[in-house]
Amino acid sequence: MLDRSPQWIADAAGAHLREPQSAGDGPTRVVIDSRGVGPGDLFVGIAGERVDGGHFAATALEAGAWGVLVEPRHADSLPPGTGGVVLAAEDPLAALQRLATAWRRQLAAVVIGVTGSTGKTSTKDVLAAMLRAAGRRVTATSQNLNTEIGLPLTVLSAPHGTEVLVLEMAMRGPGQIAELARIAEPDIAIVTNIGPVHLELLGSIGAIARAKAELLDGLRPGGTAIVPADEPLLEPHLRDDLHVVRFGSGGDVTELPGVTLLSAGQPLTSAHMARNALAAAAAARAAGVEPAGEVDVALSAMRGQRERLQGGVVVVDDCYNANPMSMRAALDDLAATAPGRKVAVLGDMLELGPDGGRFHSELGVHARDVGVDVLVTVGPLAAYLGAGSGLGAVQSVEDAEQAARLVPTLVQDGDTVLVKASRGVGLEAVSAALRAARPPADGAR
């Protein structure tokens, strides 16, 4: 709850207070979707590409909203005595961001920003679990609330008493992580790695490094920068007034003795998760926590969860996103953990620019080299995987719907099935089809 007066919220957001009515304390939460507004909410009407949320201000107030934050023209259209607080701002999104910064300062929490080409969500999940295991009160990014809209909503969801904010930061182009850093004012920054992601938008690995390093640039003097030990592209951004911690081989944090990572009671043993854990541990230590013992991680949906199905089939549901680095890591993990046949259902990796075909073809070779037994490619780019693999057991389909029909017919008892692609491919349909064909074994995941 933002237990502050309407005037405080208006001042913090840089908004004009039109209607000061307020029943009791401040808003219980801040929302941007009028369909989910309930009593006590502050509804922020943001203008999108298709819909202007400000048009729904009256609907939000009728639903019992504590108040609305909208453009002046929408505030003017509301009749006097609406029964809620009415805040007017020329740019409601900017007002939302200013309000989040003001609330971040009220919390006096340690703020940790996490970005990187791959692994930022898993690193955020592991870090939050380490902190909670030590008894810290943590608010962390949920789902995909890692943008210029989602990040301020995450900050504003943090209750009084929050000790650590763990904020994932995504980007689609230059300047976007800098914007998120200005809102969050991080004390600690993690860059998990630099790789060929968003090449279509940014053009080069160097440009990607510069965009990710905006988080480091956003640290105030005395902040802690946590970076891979083997990433020279970040070195120019490591200022003398920062405390720099490097993780990975040859770095400051190379192992975690006495720490066991679990998810749903099962060990997390993949090499990429172990590396993410090193970055998370470095951040936990910077926040005053020494990770120890068993750490049960609640992995975000579709980020590598393993589900045991009937017939001893294991589905690795990792279809939220994909790029050449994360695909290779997932294939390596499949090779290291599958006791039976290794089945890879791999879809298009998007936003790779003109070299997209080459990246997919090279990944096909890697799939062959790690011993994939059955490869199903999904989408026009993924077809290069099959062409470049040299594998005999390759089937290519056009989309996730076709894959959802095909894959259950190929899977045999004891198989381990990796399902991975960029989010736009929608490969969760394949995981759902496998569950329908082979329900979870004894309800276990």
Side-chain angles (χ1 to χ4, degrees):
M1 173 182 286
L2 302 181
D3 53 349
R4 292 294 183 269
S5 69
Q7 189 62 60
W8 186 93
I9 291 175
D11 292 343
H16 177 65
L17 181 59
R18 294 285 186 86
E19 291 285 345
Q21 300 99 322
S22 174
D25 298 322
T28 54
R29 62 177 185 152
V30 180
V31 298
I32 61 168
D33 189 341
S34 63
R35 295 168 296 182
V37 172
D41 291 344
L42 170 59
F43 168 68
V44 181
I46 297 173
E49 293 181 2
R50 298 180 181 179
V51 178
D52 184 348
H55 288 301
F56 302 100
T59 301
L61 291 170
E62 289 169 2
W66 176 91
V68 296
L69 171 57
V70 294
E71 292 179 27
R73 60 193 176 95
H74 295 306
D76 291 342
S77 70
L78 295 169
T82 56
V85 173
V86 177
L87 301 164
E90 292 293 340
D91 185 344
L93 174 56
L96 172 71
Q97 294 169 345
R98 287 191 292 267
L99 180 59
T101 300
W103 187 243
R104 174 255 186 272
R105 294 171 180 171
Q106 290 288 305
L107 291 172
V110 175
V111 178
I112 305 173
V114 185
T115 194
S117 294
T118 64
K120 55 183 175 291
T121 300
S122 298
T123 300
K124 175 262 301 180
D125 291 339
V126 172
L127 173 55
M130 287 176 171
L131 295 167
R132 288 175 178 138
R136 294 298 178 91
R137 294 185 290 275
V138 179
T139 295
T141 301
S142 65
Q143 301 176 12
N144 61 343
L145 296 178
N146 55 12
T147 65
E148 70 277 8
I149 297 174
L151 182 140
L153 290 175
T154 299
V155 173
L156 290 166
S157 73
H160 261 308
T162 298
E163 295 174 289
V164 188
L165 273 167
V166 183
L167 303 175
E168 182 180 333
M169 298 183 180
M171 66 93 183
R172 300 175 302 281
Q176 293 177 335
I177 289 179
E179 179 184 20
L180 299 179
R182 284 194 296 270
I183 298 166
E185 297 180 344
D187 304 294
I188 301 166
I190 302 174
V191 181
T192 59
N193 48 48
I194 303 297
V197 183
H198 305 304
L199 276 175
E200 189 173 72
L201 300 171
L202 290 163
S204 70
I205 294 292
I208 292 168
R210 288 191 294 274
K212 296 297 184 182
E214 290 170 4
L215 178 55
L216 306 177
D217 299 338
L219 285 172
R220 289 172 288 188
T224 299
I226 297 167
V227 297
D230 55 356
E231 186 44 82
L233 290 173
L234 293 175
E235 292 298 318
H237 301 274
L238 301 175
R239 311 188 312 262
D240 292 339
D241 62 0
L242 299 177
H243 177 53
V244 178
V245 180
R246 295 174 174 83
F247 65 91
S249 178
D252 305 298
V253 183
T254 59
E255 59 182 356
L256 292 178
V259 177
T260 302
L261 293 183
L262 306 172
S263 181
Q266 299 298 313
L268 291 174
T269 58
S270 67
H272 62 275
M273 190 62 75
R275 183 175 171 86
N276 293 341
L278 295 178
R285 288 168 179 167
V289 168
E290 180 61 42
E294 292 187 348
V295 177
D296 202 345
V297 182
L299 290 174
S300 297
M302 298 186 288
R303 259 75 167 213
Q305 285 87 348
R306 289 174 170 263
E307 185 171 9
R308 240 187 291 269
L309 306 182
Q310 290 181 2
V313 171
V314 174
V315 176
V316 184
D317 188 348
D318 198 4
C319 54
Y320 189 85
N321 213 340
N323 58 64
M325 292 177 69
S326 66
M327 279 282 207
R328 284 176 174 268
L331 285 168
D332 290 344
D333 185 46
L334 175 68
T337 60
R341 290 199 314 169
K342 297 174 281 294
V343 179
V345 183
L346 306 180
D348 290 349
M349 299 180 289
L350 304 177
E351 298 183 358
L352 292 178
D355 286 332
R358 176 177 63 82
F359 281 119
H360 285 80
S361 181
E362 290 173 353
L363 190 66
V365 174
H366 190 68
R368 178 201 66 200
D369 290 346
V370 299
V372 167
D373 297 292
V374 178
L375 174 63
V376 178
T377 72
V378 186
L381 285 170
Y384 286 95
L385 279 157
S389 70
L391 288 169
V394 179
Q395 298 206 40
S396 297
V397 297
E398 295 179 357
D399 55 34
E401 183 178 350
Q402 292 181 19
R405 292 195 296 268
L406 172 65
V407 173
T409 69
L410 303 177
V411 171
Q412 301 175 5
D413 288 357
D415 286 354
T416 300
V417 186
L418 169 66
V419 185
K420 189 167 179 65
S422 284
R423 187 72 191 92
V425 181
L427 277 196
E428 62 268 22
V430 173
S431 301
L434 286 168
R435 294 186 197 102
R438 295 171 173 265
D442 301 322
R445 283 183 177 260

